Amino acid sequence: MPAFAIKAPGKANHWIYGSFGSANDAPVDGWISGGTWEKALGRFASVRVKDHHKARYYTRYRCVNTRDGDVKRAQSWYTTVKNRGYNFATNNCLHMSMAVFKGYSETLRKDARLKSATRWTPNDYYEQVLPAARWETSQSL
């Protein structure tokens, strides 16, 4: 289940972060929160998979810096894609997370290396598309 974290421009250490899907006690349609980078990492590290012996769901992440960022636009895209409902082929957790990133940053929105999420599994997108788009090396949570 892909997730997102975006930095609030002009704020020293404030992030908006969340995911689409069900984990822990989160509703099936996802969750969004705000706080420090440390709080975001802690939240992702605490998410457990209900049906897999409570294993950690998130174990790694990648970052990319952009010259622009619009938190309100990203939040608007979060609401838009969430309200469309989950569709495995056209509006799954990968589509939704990438919509938030591209809503946040015009730089990301115009980056042709960030391919459509359609026909990609989340892990393959993470392992192949993001590095090709020059996102940073994978980090462990």
Side-chain angles (χ1 to χ4, degrees), residues 31-107:
W31 56 273
I32 189 169
S33 192
T36 65
W37 178 244
E38 295 75 21
K39 186 175 177 183
L41 291 179
R43 174 69 191 265
F44 288 126
S46 72
V47 174
R48 305 287 180 211
V49 182
K50 290 179 183 179
D51 298 328
H52 296 288
H53 307 291
K54 306 248 184 229
R56 283 183 47 212
Y57 202 98
Y58 298 106
T59 59
R60 55 200 174 123
Y61 65 93
R62 289 185 187 275
C63 296
V64 66
N65 288 320
T66 62
R67 354 178 245 281
D68 62 334
D70 185 332
V71 170
K72 288 185 191 279
R73 184 181 291 160
Q75 289 172 314
S76 175
W77 271 103
Y78 171 86
T79 301
T80 298
V81 295
K82 186 176 103 170
N83 288 340
R84 287 183 189 157
Y86 187 90
N87 179 294
F88 181 76
T90 61
N91 200 45
N92 62 40
C93 53
L94 176 58
H95 291 95
M96 293 176 177
S97 293
M98 290 311 298
V100 171
F101 285 126
K102 290 180 177 184
Y104 172 73
S105 169
E106 187 173 346
T107 301

Side-chain angles (χ1 to χ4, degrees), residues 112-130:
R113 298 170 300 183
L114 290 175
K115 301 175 187 218
S116 166
T118 302
R119 295 192 208 120
W120 287 90
T121 66
N123 285 337
D124 287 344
Y125 200 92
Y126 182 89
E127 293 294 339
Q128 296 173 35
V129 176
L130 296 183

